[in-house]
Amino acid sequence: METPFHHLSMLLQASRGGFEVVAFDYQPKQSPRFSAVMVRGRDTSSPGFIQNSTEQCRCSRRIRLSLLTSVPEDLMNLRSLTLALTSPALAWTVAFGQPTPPPPLAIEHVTVLPMTAGGTVLHDQTVTLRDGRITAIEASTATKPASGVRRIDGTGKYLMPSLADAHVHLENDRFLRLFLDNPKIPAGTIRTEDIFLPYVANGVLQVIDLSATSETVGQRDEVENGRVLGPHIALAAMIDGKDPILPVGMTRVAATPSDGRQAVRDASVEGYELIKVYSTLDLPTFTAIVDEAHKLHMPVVGHIPQRGKGTTDKFFQPGFGMVAHAEEFAQQTDVPVEADIPGYVEMAKRNGTWLTGTLSLDERIVEEASHPESLQARPELQFLSPPIYTYVTAHNPYVANANAKFIDYVRSIVAFNRKLIQAFAAAGIPVLAGTDTPVPGMVAGFALHDELEAMARYGLSNQQVLEGATRLPAEWLGVAGDRGVVAPGKRADLLLLDADPMADVANTRRITAVIAGGRFLSRTDLDQQMAALAKRYAKMRAADTVPTGKPHALP
């Protein structure tokens, strides 16, 4: 077989029966071989691996197969070819390209909540999905799906965009070693598919990671290449000042404006999309970072630095696109000052700065500091990775440091946040849903539903709450052309619900199915995968002998 490629990674896919075969790393100069292969069932996120086997081709080339190690992206536009394997003696059609697209799907007689700007609810609709995209939204009375299209009865159900969490910290082995201050955490402790499953099962198919590392870049690529089922990940590189609060590796350090500009340039070429500014940056360095990020088209999100210095307004400069917590405003003074809220609203409005609330975070801190036993009553904690579970239940800093003064202080932040959110919403400043997962008590996916309910309790309309978890995050990230609403041409990342979330945002929990890139994931299937995850985590916790170390506070 002629090939013009030398020492390039090559993606091959073959279909036979109910499986995909994906082989990687073709090196023709070294007697052509594939150094890895993955076999997985269609519509399945759990791959199985073939190791240390060989197959002889009729083209007189041997293919060596071993454990999957990487996902190539180089060669995605080649034509197909055919290989006849002598064992088994069957011809497989092998095609270069992305994973096999899901079969076409039609959801009939469903109520559609498009979440488009000014969009209205559409009743009794048929929504057709093909190749991972929404191809049509039509009245069911005038539509008959084509033959070969899987038909889903949506009678009495509601279809809306999948959800976005605008403030998370995704786990991987390196993140845990740094955050838990424990270099002994072994490789392979964290499985990417396990970390992502609770997000998917809760309908969260977009996250913004605000302490991304190089390992997170790889996790993002695994999702986008179809190797792992998970949410789309927007990556923020964190930059702090000369005395960083968090360990280097989770954050970058910029002591001067020149350092700040270089840190932004480095993050850009390393594959990050966003910059997160952190608490100890001085004003000149902050200004340089925001300016350089603007030049490189990298949105900036983060903290308001130099708390208590009386310089809050100076940090609201063009390019500072979003504040990562409502509590950032509360902490600009020694105690929250509600009289300052109109000034904060004016700063944000003038500068075009959005806000991620993370409202339920402070409520949860009050709860666990006041009543540590409440953690045992939260069943979703079983879906925390074992190292984080131990951190939350046995080394929780909010429990360890709890006292009446601390609890009263956080309660004052909760009260401040309520009024701040109401004022921001009244001023037309977009408020996004975010959780700061995995801060103790916050669990991937589950916490976002808590956040939506908190936003509604704090005075946002249900429409505003849902927009803050669908269309608005896509707009802020610059991906609104691809996702965030239910409309023809958009990515088919959707939720099928049993009840109307416009009537009660708590109904976002009542998920019949998650549709991820056009793949229909039923509640039953998702529950089975979650039960298996909980069982696996329980076994890992029982066998865990790795010391926890001294955890840092999450950013």
Side-chain angles (χ1 to χ4, degrees):
M1 182 181 67
E2 296 283 340
T3 175
F5 303 102
H6 299 284
H7 299 283
L8 293 177
S9 294
M10 184 161 62
L11 177 60
L12 295 170
Q13 291 180 320
S15 296
R16 186 171 76 91
F19 295 92
E20 297 178 322
V21 178
V22 187
F24 298 89
D25 195 11
Y26 175 59
Q27 298 180 344
K29 280 190 175 179
Q30 301 175 14
S31 86
R33 67 179 63 182
F34 299 95
S35 67
V37 70
M38 175 174 66
V39 180
R40 66 183 170 197
R42 290 177 181 165
D43 299 317
T44 299
S45 62
S46 300
F49 297 101
I50 295 178
Q51 302 183 54
N52 303 321
S53 63
T54 61
E55 297 290 354
Q56 177 68 47
C57 279
R58 287 182 184 171
C59 57
S60 299
R61 301 200 173 189
R62 296 193 66 81
I63 302 174
R64 187 178 302 276
L65 306 176
S66 60
L67 183 63
L68 175 67
T69 56
S70 62
V71 175
E73 299 181 76
D74 307 271
L75 311 178
M76 293 296 183
N77 300 310
L78 302 182
R79 297 183 179 181
S80 65
L81 57 110
T82 299
L83 297 179
L85 302 183
T86 60
S87 177
L90 293 170
W92 292 3
T93 299
V94 182
F96 301 91
Q98 294 284 2
T100 304
L105 182 70
I107 306 169
E108 302 177 282
H109 304 292
V110 71
T111 299
V112 178
L113 309 178
M115 302 313 301
T116 52
T120 57
V121 175
L122 306 173
H123 298 279
D124 195 18
Q125 299 291 298
T126 292
V127 180
T128 305
L129 315 178
R130 189 181 297 273
D131 295 332
R133 296 278 168 181
I134 301 169
T135 57
I137 303 174
E138 304 169 287
S140 293
T141 54
T143 304
K144 182 179 180 181
S147 61
V149 174
R150 181 183 179 185
R151 300 171 71 171
I152 302 294
D153 184 6
T155 302
K157 302 189 185 304
Y158 298 81
L159 190 71
M160 66 171 287
S162 61
L163 302 172
D165 190 332
H167 190 148
V168 307
H169 303 278
L170 295 175
E171 296 170 53
N172 51 60
D173 293 340
R174 182 173 178 228
F175 173 89
L176 289 182
R177 292 178 191 128
L178 291 167
F179 171 56
L180 298 179
D181 193 21
N182 181 8
K184 294 183 180 180
I185 289 176
T189 297
I190 295 298
R191 297 195 339 176
T192 296
E193 56 266 37
D194 290 346
I195 294 302
F196 290 164
L197 178 58
Y199 286 110
V200 175
N202 281 281
V204 181
L205 297 182
Q206 172 73 68
V207 298
I208 304 177
D209 188 335
L210 292 187
S211 58
T213 65
S214 56
E215 286 76 10
T216 325
V217 176
Q219 290 175 311
R220 176 196 61 191
D221 292 346
E222 285 185 297
V223 171
E224 296 304 323
N225 286 320
R227 274 183 60 195
V228 172
L229 178 65
H232 303 289
I233 307 169
L235 303 175
M238 188 192 310
I239 307 175
D240 205 356
K242 64 180 180 179
D243 297 312
I245 295 171
L246 293 162
V248 175
M250 287 181 66
T251 187
R252 298 156 193 253
V253 175
T256 67
S258 177
D259 290 345
R261 289 186 185 276
Q262 187 60 52
V264 173
R265 290 193 289 266
D266 289 345
S268 177
V269 299
E270 290 166 16
Y272 299 84
E273 299 110 320
L274 316 172
I275 295 296
K276 180 180 182 180
V277 288
Y278 211 56
S279 300
T280 70
L281 287 167
D282 61 43
L283 181 59
T285 303
F286 176 95
T287 300
I289 288 169
V290 172
D291 179 66
E292 192 68 25
H294 176 72
K295 292 177 181 177
L296 296 176
H297 308 288
M298 301 179 75
V300 177
V301 58
H303 291 197
I304 306 170
Q306 302 298 321
R307 294 173 181 171
K309 301 290 182 63
T311 57
T312 305
D313 61 323
K314 297 184 185 303
F315 289 95
F316 281 81
Q317 47 190 272
F320 185 26
M322 186 156 63
V323 177
H325 304 269
E327 68 177 24
E328 280 297 305
F329 294 96
Q331 294 171 334
Q332 291 303 298
T333 47
D334 291 339
V335 296
V337 179
E338 293 179 2
D340 289 345
I341 288 176
Y344 296 143
V345 170
E346 193 277 331
M347 292 176 199
K349 182 80 171 179
R350 180 188 69 241
N351 200 55
T353 302
W354 295 20
L355 175 64
T356 299
T358 65
L359 309 173
S360 55
L361 162 66
D362 293 305
E363 291 184 336
R364 191 72 63 241
I365 292 172
V366 169
E367 178 183 271
E368 60 198 69
S370 303
H371 303 285
E373 71 279 3
S374 65
L375 287 168
Q376 304 304 321
R378 301 194 70 83
E380 66 267 32
L381 264 63
Q382 66 184 310
F383 302 110
L384 291 173
S385 69
I388 293 295
Y389 181 91
T390 300
Y391 160 58
V392 170
T393 58
H395 304 278
N396 190 321
Y398 304 122
V399 173
N401 299 319
N403 55 59
K405 182 178 180 181
F406 172 75
I407 293 169
D408 286 345
Y409 173 66
V410 181
R411 282 181 175 145
S412 72
I413 291 178
V414 171
F416 177 95
N417 287 350
R418 183 182 296 269
K419 293 188 177 181
L420 181 87
I421 289 295
Q422 292 172 352
F424 268 56
I429 300 170
V431 178
L432 305 192
T435 64
D436 212 357
T437 297
V439 165
M442 313 300 283
V443 181
F446 296 92
L448 188 65
H449 296 283
D450 295 337
E451 183 69 12
L452 300 184
E453 293 172 32
M455 292 168 74
R457 287 197 308 274
Y458 283 34
L460 272 66
S461 70
N462 291 346
Q463 176 83 23
Q464 289 173 317
V465 172
L466 295 176
E467 287 178 343
T470 56
R471 175 173 56 83
L472 292 178
E475 289 183 1
W476 192 84
L477 289 170
V479 296
D482 181 67
R483 65 192 80 138
V485 299
V486 184
K490 304 299 184 185
R491 187 180 297 271
D493 287 346
L494 306 166
L495 300 186
L496 188 62
L497 305 175
D498 281 332
D500 184 3
M502 293 294 283
D504 184 349
V505 295
N507 289 334
T508 57
R509 299 181 188 269
R510 299 183 61 181
I511 298 172
T512 293
V514 175
I515 302 170
R519 293 188 183 278
F520 189 87
L521 308 169
S522 72
R523 180 76 271 160
T524 299
D525 289 343
L526 290 168
D527 286 347
Q528 289 175 348
Q529 292 183 56
M530 289 288 281
L533 177 63
K535 184 177 180 179
R536 183 162 61 253
Y537 276 173
K539 288 182 178 179
M540 292 172 66
R541 289 196 298 271
D544 184 27
T545 58
V546 177
T548 301
K550 298 179 180 180
H552 298 271
L554 263 172

